């Protein structure tokens, strides 16, 4: 079957670093997305990893290990506006996108 | 900044009625998607569309659903006979998969569908 696992909730402090993990089991793999979603809004694209390794975009970085079925999203220098849900999603070989349930990140001052 | 647009922002309909949700994706993107999100739940994939045909569809996307890209710009989702459980936020997205830093995906703001 297809399964995407990520923690339901995490809490971190403003200015700190947080890592949100995602593990997946899918029948095929063509890439992994990370999105940010604030309550009541549409998801916002953060990253798309196809190859193993770390990709950095400003304060956000995303890592992929295809052999381990594992990815993480790293957020640095946390700001209050980073309080949101973070969604991990896998794109399979037929262009079906399977979403995890999302991780709600709470930032404390 | 390019954007995906969706209309209407909110649609209220009676059970059994047909609805058409409209989307205008980013013009140079190649892959188009419809998703739905029931309040408080995760985003669910409905259908992907590439090269003017459906690439993949989920179990949710049954015979009551159809998609079209009639004129090269609009991308529509039709639900022929709505059910109460179709009430959700429907998101359209477009994706440019060019490799590496060029990979970007944009979501529209969504259409909230309420079936009474």
């Amino acid at each position: 079957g297809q399964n995407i696992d990520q923690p339901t909730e995490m809490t971190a402090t403003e200015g700190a670093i947080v890592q949100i993990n995602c593990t997946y089991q899918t029948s095929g793999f063509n890439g992994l997305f990370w999105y940010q979603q604030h309550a009541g809004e549409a998801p916002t694209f953060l990253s798309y990893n196809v190859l193993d390794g770390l990709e950095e975009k400003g304060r956000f970085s995303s890592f992929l290990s295809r052999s381990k079925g594992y990815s993480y999203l790293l957020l640095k220098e946390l700001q209050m506006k980073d309080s949101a849900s973070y969604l991990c999603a896998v794109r399979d070989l037929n262009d079906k996108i399977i979403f995890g349930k999302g991780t709600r990140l709470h930032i404390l001052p | 900044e390019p954007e995906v647009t969706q209309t209407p922002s909110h649609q209220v309909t009676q059970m059994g009625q047909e609805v058409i949700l409209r989307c205008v994706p980013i013009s140079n993107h190649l892959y188009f998607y419809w998703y739905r999100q029931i309040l408080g739940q995760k985003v669910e994939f409905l259908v992907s569309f590439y090269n003017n045909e459906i690439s993949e569809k989920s179990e949710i996307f049954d015979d009551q659903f159809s998609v079209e890209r009639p004129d090269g710009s609009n991308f529509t989702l039709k639900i022929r006979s709505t059910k109460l459980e179709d009430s959700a936020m429907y998101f359209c997205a477009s994706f440019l998969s060019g490799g590496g830093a060029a990979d970007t995906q944009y979501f529209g703001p969504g259409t909230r569908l309420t079936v009474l």
Side-chain angles (χ1 to χ4, degrees), chain B residues 37-56:
Chain B
Q37 188 172 31
I38 295 169
L39 188 63
Q41 297 187 21
K42 70 175 187 176
V43 175
E44 297 175 291
F45 168 84
L46 293 177
V47 66
S48 55
F49 195 85
Y50 171 75
N51 203 24
N52 283 323
E53 59 183 27
I54 290 174
S55 308
E56 184 64 271

Side-chain angles (χ1 to χ4, degrees), chain B residues 31-79:
Chain B
Y31 299 86
F32 310 108
Y33 305 87
W34 281 101
Y35 303 97
R36 78 173 187 190
Q37 188 172 31
I38 295 169
L39 188 63
Q41 297 187 21
K42 70 175 187 176
V43 175
E44 297 175 291
F45 168 84
L46 293 177
V47 66
S48 55
F49 195 85
Y50 171 75
N51 203 24
N52 283 323
E53 59 183 27
I54 290 174
S55 308
E56 184 64 271
K57 54 186 181 181
S58 72
E59 304 75 30
I60 302 167
F61 195 91
D62 61 21
D63 292 344
Q64 294 301 312
F65 290 83
S66 62
V67 289
E68 272 192 336
R69 194 153 187 260
D71 56 11
S73 62
N74 292 287
F75 182 47
T76 61
L77 175 70
K78 182 194 289 186
I79 309 174

Side-chain angles (χ1 to χ4, degrees), chain A residues 3-109:
Chain A
N3 197 40
I4 314 283
D5 280 317
Q6 48 181 135
T8 305
E9 284 191 87
M10 297 182 71
T11 302
T13 306
E14 192 177 14
I17 299 172
V18 72
Q19 177 175 311
I20 303 173
N21 295 324
C22 172
T23 57
Y24 62 89
Q25 298 101 39
T26 57
S27 55
F29 181 85
N30 203 14
L32 185 143
F33 292 96
W34 281 99
Y35 305 94
Q36 179 191 64
Q37 187 177 30
H38 285 100
E41 297 183 11
T44 303
F45 170 83
L46 295 177
S47 65
Y48 179 61
N49 293 66
V50 177
L51 302 177
D52 289 353
L54 184 69
E55 291 191 8
E56 299 185 64
K57 287 185 184 178
R59 293 189 300 115
F60 292 8
S61 303
S62 57
F63 171 83
L64 175 68
S65 168
R66 288 171 297 170
S67 62
K68 295 182 179 175
Y70 168 69
S71 173
Y72 67 73
L73 180 70
L74 192 72
L75 292 76
K76 302 176 188 173
E77 300 167 22
L78 286 169
Q79 302 174 9
M80 297 304 293
K81 67 178 182 178
D82 297 331
S83 291
S85 287
Y86 290 85
L87 317 181
C88 172
V90 170
R91 183 185 187 209
D92 76 6
L93 296 174
N94 296 318
D95 207 21
K96 181 176 184 177
I97 318 286
I98 305 116
F99 280 78
K101 293 182 178 179
T103 298
R104 259 198 316 278
L105 177 64
H106 305 279
I107 309 296
L108 303 177

